[in-house]
Amino acid sequence: MAKKSAIARNNRRKVMVARYAERRAELKAVIRSPRSTPEAKAAAVSALQAMPRDASRTRVRNRDAIDGRPRGYVRAFGLSRIHLRDLAHRGELPGVRKSSW
């Protein structure tokens, strides 16, 4: 189980990403646009850099939905490899069977 503080920190980052997502998208569009003037691009870059670091989507860590484990995350299920295996063995994941050959 991950530390409660690490899980809480990650949840705060998710909230901050959602709060700043629209503004970040606008600034990035200005930066990418070939029609933007160099002054507008420079202003957009400085505004983007002035935003909180945790407003960036890459700062959010994928974590297991059950206990918050950060490693071994399986995106299709939102679980770590350990819980995925455990739930699959118990038959609690629809459409997932243990393979043997």
Side-chain angles (χ1 to χ4, degrees):
M1 170 114 183
K3 290 170 51 173
K4 300 248 187 239
S5 60
I7 295 169
R9 185 181 325 122
N10 200 48
N11 289 337
R12 281 195 305 271
R13 284 179 178 156
K14 285 180 184 178
V15 169
M16 189 166 288
V17 165
R19 185 184 322 149
Y20 285 97
E22 188 176 340
R23 178 69 177 141
R24 284 181 65 86
E26 290 170 1
L27 292 173
K28 285 180 172 261
V30 169
I31 293 168
R32 277 195 305 266
S33 174
R35 294 195 167 113
S36 297
T37 63
E39 295 82 20
K41 285 185 181 186
V45 167
S46 65
L48 195 60
Q49 288 175 346
M51 284 188 172
R53 289 179 130 193
D54 284 345
S56 173
R57 175 68 184 102
T58 58
R59 304 264 301 187
V60 176
R61 177 80 186 210
N62 288 330
R63 290 184 172 270
D64 186 332
I66 296 173
D67 71 353
R69 179 182 166 85
R71 304 287 180 108
Y73 180 80
V74 180
R75 188 178 301 210
F77 298 96
L79 300 170
S80 69
R81 60 185 175 80
I82 297 164
H83 283 113
L84 175 70
R85 184 173 190 265
D86 185 41
L87 293 175
H89 279 309
R90 286 192 270 158
E92 295 179 12
L93 293 177
V96 177
R97 290 187 3 191
K98 182 182 182 304
S99 72
S100 66
W101 61 91

